[in-house]
Amino acid sequence: MGLGDTIKEENKASNQNCARAMIFLRHHLDEILKIEYLTVKDPLVLWKNLKERFDHLKMVIYPKARYDWMHLRLQDFKSIHEYNSAMFRITSQLKLCGETVSEIDMMEKTFSTFHASNVLLQQQYREKGFKKYSELISHLLVAEQNNDLLLKNHENRPTGSEPLPEVNEAYAHHARRGKGRGPNRGRGRGRGRGRGRDYGQERNSNLGINHSSNKKETIN
C-alpha cells in the first residue's frame, strides 16, 4: 500500500498516510489490543510497541513447533482430517519463525509415518507421483471415507448373515391368515353355536391345544 515509510524512524510520511497506516494496523489487531493501544495515534509508536511485546514469541514458539514436527506421525491420529489440521498448524508456526516446510517434506513426512500394517498402501501412494501435499491428502480423505462406508455396511449385516425380512412380506403373511379365517366367520354369523365352536377350535389350535379326542367322545 506504499505505507512502509510510516513505521520507519525519522520518516517524513504525510499525515494522510500516517492515518491510513493506523487504520490498516488497527484493522488487523485483536479487539483487546485495540483497547489497550487506543490512545496511540502514531503508527511508528504502535509498531514499535507491538514488536517489543510479541517479537520474542518466535523464540518461544520455534522449539515447540520443531519438536512437534519431528514427532508428527500419521499413525498417531484417528482420522486424516485431524492429521491434516496438525500438519498445517505446525508448518504455519515454523513459517512464522522463519523455517519453511516444502511440499516434498510434507509428503515425505506423511509417507514415512504410515502404520506398519499399511506398508503396501504407502508404496502404492508413492507410485502415484503426487506433486502437491494437498493432492495426497485429498486421495487419503476419499479412501478413508470409502473404508468407513464399507465398515458400516459390514456392521449392519456381517458376512454370511441372512437379510432381515421385509415389511411387505410380513404384511402379506398376516393378510393371508386373515383371508383364510374369513369364510369361517361368515358361515358362523347365522348360527351362534357354530361360530363359537369354529372360533374356539381356531384359538386352541393357535395355542397348540389338540381336542380331537374329546370331540370324538362327544359325538359318540
Side-chain angles (χ1 to χ4, degrees):
M1 298 177 63
L3 301 175
D5 291 340
T6 61
I7 57 174
K8 293 180 180 179
E9 295 285 352
E10 299 181 357
N11 66 79
K12 297 181 180 180
S14 64
N15 292 334
Q16 183 180 1
N17 283 344
C18 288
R20 291 175 59 197
M22 283 298 298
I23 294 173
F24 179 82
L25 291 174
R26 289 187 180 279
H27 177 73
H28 291 84
L29 287 181
D30 183 84
E31 291 297 329
I32 297 178
L33 290 177
K34 288 181 181 180
I35 297 174
E36 293 181 7
Y37 295 101
L38 188 63
T39 59
V40 178
K41 304 298 182 181
D42 189 338
L44 175 60
V45 175
L46 178 60
W47 181 261
K48 291 173 64 176
N49 289 342
L50 294 174
K51 187 175 178 61
E52 292 175 358
R53 179 170 179 175
F54 296 105
D55 201 37
H56 70 279
L57 288 179
K58 293 181 180 180
M59 295 182 293
V60 177
I61 294 174
Y62 182 73
K64 179 64 166 59
R66 191 63 190 169
Y67 176 87
D68 291 342
W69 171 257
M70 294 295 297
H71 294 84
L72 179 65
R73 301 192 308 173
L74 175 61
Q75 60 181 289
D76 292 334
F77 292 85
K78 295 181 180 180
S79 67
I80 300 298
H81 176 73
E82 293 179 0
Y83 169 78
N84 192 40
S85 297
M87 171 67 79
F88 277 105
R89 175 182 58 81
I90 295 171
T91 54
S92 296
Q93 291 175 344
L94 290 174
K95 186 177 181 180
L96 175 66
C97 298
E99 181 177 344
T100 301
V101 181
S102 66
E103 296 279 341
I104 296 177
D105 292 336
M106 295 167 71
M107 289 191 292
E108 184 59 33
K109 169 66 72 172
T110 305
F111 288 137
S112 61
T113 58
F114 267 67
H115 194 274
S117 61
N118 295 325
V119 173
L120 295 178
L121 184 63
Q122 175 257 135
Q123 293 176 353
Q124 292 175 1
Y125 279 107
R126 279 185 182 274
E127 293 174 357
K128 290 182 179 295
F130 295 109
K131 300 299 182 181
K132 295 183 178 180
Y133 170 77
S134 58
E135 296 176 355
L136 170 61
I137 287 299
S138 296
H139 279 74
L140 291 176
L141 287 170
V142 172
E144 182 182 55
Q145 185 178 18
N146 291 336
N147 289 338
D148 290 341
L149 291 175
L150 290 175
L151 289 175
K152 288 180 180 179
N153 290 336
H154 175 73
E155 291 173 355
N156 292 335
R157 184 184 171 189
T159 304
S161 62
E162 295 292 334
L164 295 174
E166 296 184 0
V167 176
N168 292 338
E169 293 182 359
Y171 176 80
H173 174 70
H174 288 293
R176 287 194 297 270
R177 290 187 59 189
K179 184 178 180 180
R181 292 196 300 267
N184 291 335
R185 289 198 298 269
R187 289 195 301 268
R189 288 178 180 176
R191 296 178 296 174
R193 294 178 59 187
R195 180 181 183 277
R197 184 168 59 251
D198 291 341
Y199 175 77
Q201 290 175 355
E202 180 184 358
R203 182 177 63 82
N204 292 337
S205 176
N206 291 336
L207 295 175
I209 302 175
N210 187 359
H211 290 298
S212 58
S213 58
N214 293 337
K215 184 177 180 180
K216 291 180 179 180
E217 292 178 0
T218 303
I219 293 174
N220 294 335

